[in-house]
Amino acid sequence: MTEKGKPICREHVDGVTITGSKVIEGVRVVPLRRIPDERGTIFHMLRSTDPFFAGFGEIYFSSIYEGVVKGWHKHLEMTLNYACIFGRVKLVLYDERTKSSTRGTLMEIFLGPDNYSLVSIEPEIWTGLKGMSRPYALVANCATHPHDPERTTRLDPFDNHIPYTWSIKHH
């Protein structure tokens, strides 16, 4: 059960399991390809020819230590394109956009070796990440705009503004 007592749904989108009441409008989850051979592995992430590619502003990588929460944050114009290339993270999204058909929706997506996927997140959706692996996880973001702190809103991850608890859930 969720914090509000709503049943937890496990929705399958393109073979990816998402926990939450439904998929947030403006969020895409796309399974990605890994090509392993005796030399190592290629991890595909994003191509300019992908139908959801919205432009390039910057690419950065963020390490997240086990148990640490990075969030909450939302961007005014920036679309995020996340892939976890090392370790495992829990990505949590919350939609409070006034004109969205999915307003009030929370989503959990676990990314890592068992779910190597790209998550594309449109602007103004609250985003948080929790490290789930030791010693850390590494998340790549190919964003549509260079990061601008003046165009980003942040909240403490344990602020009660967003109805989510970061503790481990036993489903």
Side-chain angles (χ1 to χ4, degrees):
M1 299 296 275
T2 64
E3 283 70 35
K4 291 188 170 184
K6 294 179 185 173
I8 293 173
C9 163
R10 295 195 188 281
E11 185 162 340
H12 298 277
V13 178
D14 294 326
V16 176
T17 302
I18 298 169
T19 304
S21 57
K22 57 186 157 183
V23 175
I24 292 173
E25 177 184 326
V27 174
R28 290 178 189 84
V29 181
V30 180
L32 295 173
R33 211 168 145 214
R34 292 179 296 188
I35 305 169
D37 67 20
E38 64 274 1
R39 301 166 297 162
T41 303
I42 294 171
F43 292 84
H44 279 266
M45 182 175 167
L46 185 62
R47 294 176 183 216
S48 63
T49 56
D50 287 337
F52 50 85
F53 179 76
F56 172 77
E58 73 173 350
I59 294 174
Y60 68 84
F61 301 89
S62 180
S63 65
I64 306 167
Y65 295 116
E66 181 184 30
V68 172
V69 175
K70 288 188 174 184
W72 296 102
H73 63 277
K74 68 176 176 176
H75 301 280
L76 289 178
E77 296 97 10
M78 183 188 301
T79 294
L80 308 171
N81 290 288
Y82 284 147
C84 183
I85 60 171
F86 177 82
R88 191 168 198 252
V89 296
K90 175 169 55 171
L91 170 62
V92 182
L93 307 173
Y94 179 65
D95 186 3
E96 70 172 7
R97 298 169 295 170
T98 55
K99 295 181 181 180
S100 171
S101 65
T102 54
R103 181 177 169 83
T105 299
L106 277 163
M107 285 176 66
E108 284 182 336
I109 307 164
F110 291 88
L111 300 172
D114 53 346
N115 184 17
Y116 183 59
S117 299
L118 178 79
V119 181
S120 183
I121 307 159
E122 288 185 357
E124 297 195 25
I125 296 172
W126 287 104
T127 304
L129 291 157
K130 181 178 182 181
M132 305 296 290
S133 59
R134 203 175 276 161
Y136 60 89
L138 194 57
V139 175
N141 180 18
C142 180
T144 58
H145 296 73
H147 183 264
D148 180 354
E150 300 295 317
R151 310 295 292 160
T152 303
T153 304
R154 295 188 178 279
L155 285 176
D156 182 292
F158 303 102
D159 183 301
N160 290 331
H161 175 81
I162 295 173
Y164 186 78
T165 303
W166 288 98
S167 59
I168 293 175
K169 293 168 186 60
H170 302 281
H171 299 288

